[in-house]
Amino acid sequence: MPDPLDRIAAALERLVPPPPAGADPLAHPAYVWRDGALVAARAFAPLPLAMLHGVDAQKTALTDNLRRLAAGHAAQDTLLWGARGTGKSALVKAAVGAVQGGGGVLALVEVPGDRLATLPALFDAIAAAPRAFAIFLDDLGFDAAGDARVLRSLLEGGAEARPGNARLIVTSNRRHLVTRDIREQDSAINPRDSVDDQLALADRFGLSLGFHVVDQDGYCAIVRGYAERYGLPFDAADAIQWATRRGSRSGRVAWQYVVELAGREGIALT
């Protein structure tokens, strides 16, 4: 007669769904890392690079770096930091799309910020694939230096660093990723140790790109570019009034205004 514990274990195995099958790592332009498996992104539709205004130096630096990665050449892990809504995430996707459009063998893999501990499993899944991968960690930030040590180890110095065909592309509103406070030097026996610990993660990115608040002319240029692409009327005064009501000028606010404008015109944006 079967052991009761064996029967219970077998019943539980039948109730638990099998782990999801991962998508083919060579078949799709973009993926999401979800529940320990690659899932093809439902709609990867990056903006053309030409539509991103006011970030020409950042566009060139990131795209060149990703082209090197796609070609199997030395490439840097990249941190895009700065003011909210200034196009950091849009640029990551646009740069990947531009490299793919030029024939680069590259895919984007977005990883939620609360799944950093699963990155070694992702690296195992893609290490042998004959393709390069930009591992995208969007809007990342840490409240304490200790929380960032997992990522620090994966970038440099750990036994399980990312494979040669993958580089991390991180966006953050914080230049150093970790919250800093003037009081951090007050309680440390050696204040420099505290500062070094706070900066240790950002220092591991070979390419660091800053994004800054958009001025009025830059904001209008962004709106104008969108309006021309979608055949919408452009009224600078109305666009500025929209931004004034929102209390912010940024690429994000510009896009929200264009969505509003398209709605007024009865046009769907695709």
Side-chain angles (χ1 to χ4, degrees):
M1 181 175 180
D3 186 287
L5 290 178
D6 290 339
R7 285 186 290 139
I8 292 172
L12 289 174
E13 287 179 358
R14 289 193 295 270
L15 290 173
V16 176
D24 184 346
L26 305 179
H28 303 281
Y31 302 84
V32 177
W33 179 244
R34 182 181 300 146
D35 299 326
L38 285 174
V39 178
R42 285 194 300 271
F44 181 60
L47 291 171
L49 279 174
M51 288 191 66
L52 301 180
H53 296 274
V55 288
D56 290 344
Q58 296 92 327
K59 284 193 288 189
T60 298
L62 181 60
T63 306
D64 285 350
N65 189 58
L66 291 175
R67 286 195 181 106
R68 294 171 190 164
L69 176 62
H73 302 158
Q76 304 281 9
D77 297 295
T78 304
L79 172 63
L80 296 83
W81 60 269
R84 69 187 190 279
T86 48
K88 300 182 292 293
S89 302
L91 176 55
V92 172
K93 291 178 279 191
V96 170
V99 173
Q100 291 172 343
V105 187
L106 176 71
L108 183 77
V109 182
E110 185 166 1
V111 179
D114 61 353
R115 295 292 183 268
L116 295 181
T118 69
L119 280 172
L122 169 59
F123 295 156
D124 287 343
I126 63 176
R131 189 182 198 184
F133 295 89
I135 310 302
F136 182 33
L137 301 169
D138 192 28
D139 196 19
L140 199 61
F142 301 97
D143 293 327
D147 299 335
R149 289 196 175 102
V150 170
L151 186 56
R152 280 164 51 179
S153 179
L154 292 169
L155 283 165
E156 261 184 46
E160 283 192 304
R162 73 278 184 280
N165 66 337
R167 289 294 180 271
L168 271 65
I169 312 296
V170 173
T171 68
S172 178
N173 292 339
R174 303 170 182 171
R175 182 170 188 172
H176 301 295
L177 287 159
V178 180
T179 300
R180 300 194 64 199
D181 193 304
I182 191 65
R183 292 171 299 178
E184 69 191 14
Q185 301 187 47
D186 295 342
S187 60
I189 295 174
N190 185 340
R192 185 64 204 177
D193 289 347
S194 176
V195 174
D196 285 346
D197 204 33
Q198 298 283 355
L199 304 183
L201 176 56
D203 284 350
R204 281 171 162 78
F205 291 90
L207 181 59
S208 180
L209 304 173
F211 291 71
H212 308 287
V213 175
V214 179
D215 62 18
Q216 183 167 290
D217 289 343
Y219 166 77
C220 287
I222 295 170
V223 174
R224 184 184 294 107
Y226 283 136
E228 289 175 353
R229 174 176 174 81
Y230 295 109
L232 298 170
F234 173 68
D235 182 338
D238 188 52
I240 292 168
Q241 187 178 46
W242 170 274
T244 301
R245 290 197 301 268
R246 296 300 304 272
S248 174
R249 288 190 302 261
S250 69
R252 179 177 297 143
V253 171
W255 174 250
Q256 290 167 347
Y257 170 71
V258 168
V259 171
E260 170 68 17
L261 192 58
R264 296 176 192 169
E265 297 292 318
I267 297 172
L269 298 179
T270 57

